[in-house]
Amino acid sequence: MKYLILKITNRCNLNCIYCYANNNDNNSNIDDNNNSNNNNDRDNSCKKDMDFKTAKNAIDYILKTDHNLKIQFTGGEPLLNFKLIEDIVNYCNKAHTNKNISYAVQTNGTLLNEEIIEKIKKLNINIGVSIDTADIKDNTLRPYKNGSSSTLDTIRGIYLLKNNKVPFGITTVVTNKNLPHIKDFVEYLMALGIKSISFDLLKPKKKEHLKLMPNENEFNKILKDLNNYPIYIKNLQKRPKDKYCYLNSGDLLFVNEVGDIYPCPTLEGYFYMGNINNTNNKEKLTLFKIKCDYCFAKRFLVNKLIN
């Protein structure tokens, strides 16, 4: 199965302390010395949604190499461009009826309402909700643009999903700010009836992120304590050899809002692979592939920032 991640907008209603997303314009600035696209130096005032043509080009292209495809919508906050999600699913249902395609959206949950949830159910889209703390007063990790806490609105979105019987998982970015409270947080999620959670150790995109890095030994001790908890924790599942992620098999394609292609969302800005709108239909794109049993993106970013 191929894995296509579409960054359908770089707009977001939050201002997360560790934000991974880069804001991009239409001009690629390729550094010939390291074959990376230095988006970190771009004008962050540019706000843009992916258009249908870019999404269609990415989907049509990757389906030439596999009949099985998982499409994940991300951002920014993808629900800010929900119309494109609807258009993509409807297009695939009409144009690719002989393909096995699944859909997922990763959202901060604050924009969920009855109307959107009903559409998500109808379109058969899986949902992942990002939340890092149960403290409704916390305005450090994932605040709104005005500095106020977003946690209560995310929890409200979680209740809406539960009340509408929509299955979902939780994704939590672990920093040294929330690491001391992870066990209490998991217990709170269990009390809400949450069935699964995935922890994502912070991957630093800027030097100031380094001071937020969690102690991995301490995290692993906490994971060990959580091993017997009646909740699915993805991090505790044993990975097959050389199958840490889709990069190991060269089956991942990440396309940002302007069509630029990168190995994965975390590496946006590095290892620029071209633009999906400029790719010749007859050309076969060689997907990024690397053999490792760790998160290549995290190690690459840490080493780059430290050195």
Side-chain angles (χ1 to χ4, degrees):
M1 174 175 282
K2 294 293 187 295
Y3 188 16
L4 174 63
I5 301 179
L6 297 177
K7 181 184 174 188
I8 62 173
T9 182
N10 68 4
R11 295 185 295 131
C12 190
N13 59 335
L14 300 189
N15 189 30
C16 300
I17 192 174
Y18 51 75
C19 184
Y20 292 164
N22 289 319
N23 293 312
N24 301 284
D25 54 29
N26 288 302
N27 299 311
S28 296
N29 177 22
I30 302 175
D31 182 348
D32 292 331
N33 293 325
N34 62 8
N35 194 32
S36 68
N37 190 0
N38 192 8
N39 289 330
N40 294 323
D41 295 332
R42 290 186 174 187
D43 180 3
N44 288 336
S45 65
C46 177
K47 303 297 182 184
K48 185 172 177 65
D49 290 344
M50 178 180 284
D51 58 31
F52 177 75
K53 176 186 174 183
T54 300
K56 177 182 179 298
N57 286 344
I59 293 166
D60 290 348
Y61 187 86
I62 201 166
L63 282 176
K64 292 178 181 179
T65 61
D66 204 315
H67 289 279
N68 302 297
L69 175 64
K70 176 181 179 180
I71 301 175
Q72 178 168 312
F73 304 107
T74 185
E77 170 47 49
L79 296 188
L80 288 171
N81 194 14
F82 189 76
K83 178 63 166 57
L84 180 61
I85 295 177
E86 292 181 281
D87 291 344
I88 290 173
V89 176
N90 290 331
Y91 166 73
C92 289
N93 287 340
K94 293 178 180 178
H96 296 291
T97 56
N98 61 333
K99 310 290 186 179
N100 176 30
I101 306 174
S102 63
Y103 309 93
V105 60
Q106 188 66 38
T107 173
N108 61 42
T110 61
L111 301 177
L112 288 169
N113 56 40
E114 297 284 352
E115 180 182 0
I116 289 179
I117 289 175
E118 187 60 34
K119 290 180 178 179
I120 285 173
K121 290 172 66 175
K122 184 177 179 180
L123 295 170
N124 196 25
I125 300 173
N126 297 315
I127 301 183
V129 178
S130 300
I131 182 172
D132 298 341
T133 177
D135 184 357
I136 62 174
K137 295 181 180 180
D138 182 278
N139 61 357
T140 300
L141 292 168
R142 302 176 63 84
Y144 282 112
K145 301 292 187 181
N146 64 6
S148 63
S149 174
S150 66
T151 303
L152 185 59
D153 288 333
T154 299
I155 293 173
R156 184 179 292 111
I158 287 173
Y159 270 97
L160 282 174
L161 291 171
K162 286 180 58 63
N163 291 343
N164 284 276
K165 296 181 173 53
V166 177
F168 63 95
I170 296 293
T171 297
T172 297
V173 177
V174 180
T175 66
N176 57 17
K177 299 290 186 182
N178 60 347
L179 180 63
H181 313 293
I182 288 295
K183 288 178 67 176
D184 291 339
F185 178 60
V186 171
E187 290 169 2
Y188 174 79
L189 294 179
M190 288 169 53
L192 288 181
I194 305 300
K195 304 296 184 182
S196 67
I197 183 171
S198 175
F199 294 110
D200 183 14
L201 291 176
L202 174 65
K203 303 176 184 70
K205 294 295 290 279
K206 303 175 182 178
K207 283 193 175 181
E208 53 262 39
H209 293 167
L210 291 174
K211 62 184 179 183
L212 298 172
M213 297 290 288
N215 183 301
E216 290 195 40
N217 290 331
E218 184 63 28
F219 173 69
N220 289 330
K221 289 180 182 178
I222 293 173
L223 272 184
K224 186 176 181 180
D225 291 340
L226 294 174
N227 190 42
N228 294 322
Y229 278 37
I231 183 172
Y232 177 86
I233 300 177
K234 184 177 180 181
N235 307 69
L236 290 172
Q237 308 309 306
K238 187 175 181 180
R239 303 173 193 257
K241 186 177 180 181
D242 299 328
K243 292 292 182 182
Y244 185 87
C245 75
Y246 279 85
L247 287 185
N248 295 139
S249 53
D251 290 328
L252 172 62
L253 190 72
F254 169 73
V255 180
N256 72 10
E257 70 279 11
V258 297
D260 288 344
I261 306 168
Y262 297 99
C264 79
T266 310
L267 289 173
E268 184 181 8
Y270 305 99
F271 304 99
Y272 174 73
M273 299 166 63
N275 188 285
I276 199 67
N277 295 320
N278 299 329
T279 301
N280 188 307
N281 288 332
K282 297 180 181 180
E283 176 187 353
K284 183 178 180 180
L285 181 67
T286 301
L287 301 186
F288 193 92
K289 184 176 182 179
I290 188 165
K291 185 176 181 179
C292 64
D293 58 357
Y294 54 86
C295 179
F296 170 80
K298 180 185 176 185
R299 185 169 297 187
F300 170 82
L301 292 170
V302 170
N303 289 340
K304 187 172 182 63
L305 290 172
I306 291 178
N307 299 326

